[in-house]
Amino acid sequence: MREPRLEDYSSARDFFESVREASREAERTRLTLLRMEAREGVRAQGYEAQGRSGHTSDRTAATDARMDYEERMRERIEEDYALIDLACRVLYGEESGKGGLDALMGSAVADCISFRYVDARPWPEVAALLGYSKWSRRSLRDLCQQGFDAIDFFGWDNVLGGTGTASD
């Protein structure tokens, strides 16, 4: 697995757009696996002859298909979660305490970016979680942009450390 690097992104917005897509992909994969698992169904052990209608089915086929899919997606999901974890460190610091962008700009900015990009929530949900009206999309976008601008101004290392000095 390739570890994500902040230097691979041209801007904070570019980075968080990638985080949003990774979050959406991880959720799609999780839901797909849940659907596949539900199709497997839990069946009681039976000892009667199967295939009463002349059709014998392989009851393990659904499980095998899920396991194959899980294995195919394993590396991609690990990469997605590594990117999401990196985004959380940028927003809240290395120790998940008061650090990162949260220390520089405040929790409203960090939480707005987190809800929108890390959690991949739609704007009305972000508004509700932050106590804004559902019509506040523009204000929330401005809040996110302020955070992106601060990250771009201070630089990744300074934001990760939660220090407010511009990078060279």
Side-chain angles (χ1 to χ4, degrees):
M1 179 185 87
R2 182 181 167 275
E3 286 295 317
R5 297 170 5 141
L6 293 167
E7 301 78 33
D8 293 342
Y9 299 92
S10 61
S11 68
R13 175 175 289 287
D14 181 40
F15 170 71
F16 280 102
E17 289 290 348
S18 294
V19 169
R20 182 172 168 78
E21 187 51 43
S23 180
R24 294 171 79 182
E25 180 179 57
E27 181 63 8
R28 279 191 304 267
T29 302
R30 185 185 74 81
L31 292 173
T32 298
L33 287 169
L34 285 174
R35 281 191 299 276
M36 293 174 91
E37 201 171 281
R39 274 186 242 139
E40 294 171 28
V42 178
R43 297 177 180 95
Q45 178 68 39
Y47 298 99
E48 307 87 37
Q50 297 297 317
R52 292 180 198 91
S53 64
H55 177 273
T56 307
S57 65
D58 180 4
R59 291 184 175 228
T60 62
T63 301
D64 291 342
R66 178 185 49 82
M67 291 172 66
D68 290 345
Y69 178 75
E70 213 166 12
E71 183 57 33
R72 282 192 316 272
M73 296 302 290
R74 183 184 53 78
E75 185 173 339
R76 183 65 194 156
I77 291 303
E78 287 175 5
E79 290 173 0
D80 287 343
Y81 282 115
L83 189 62
I84 291 166
D85 183 55
L86 180 57
C88 290
R89 291 195 320 266
V90 168
L91 294 173
Y92 299 107
E94 295 290 340
E95 303 289 322
S96 282
K98 186 82 168 149
L101 188 65
D102 188 23
L104 297 173
M105 298 289 295
S107 61
V109 174
D111 291 348
C112 188
I113 293 172
S114 180
F115 292 144
R116 178 65 180 168
Y117 294 91
V118 177
D119 296 348
R121 294 176 188 260
W123 287 116
E125 276 185 42
V126 174
L129 289 165
L130 292 173
Y132 283 71
S133 80
K134 64 180 180 178
W135 310 109
S136 302
R137 182 176 301 177
R138 185 180 178 109
S139 297
L140 295 170
R141 284 184 178 160
D142 289 346
L143 208 55
C144 288
Q145 189 58 52
Q146 290 171 16
F148 298 151
D149 290 344
I151 293 168
D152 292 338
F153 177 77
F154 290 118
W156 295 112
D157 290 337
N158 289 321
V159 172
L160 279 168
T163 57
T165 57
S167 59
D168 296 318

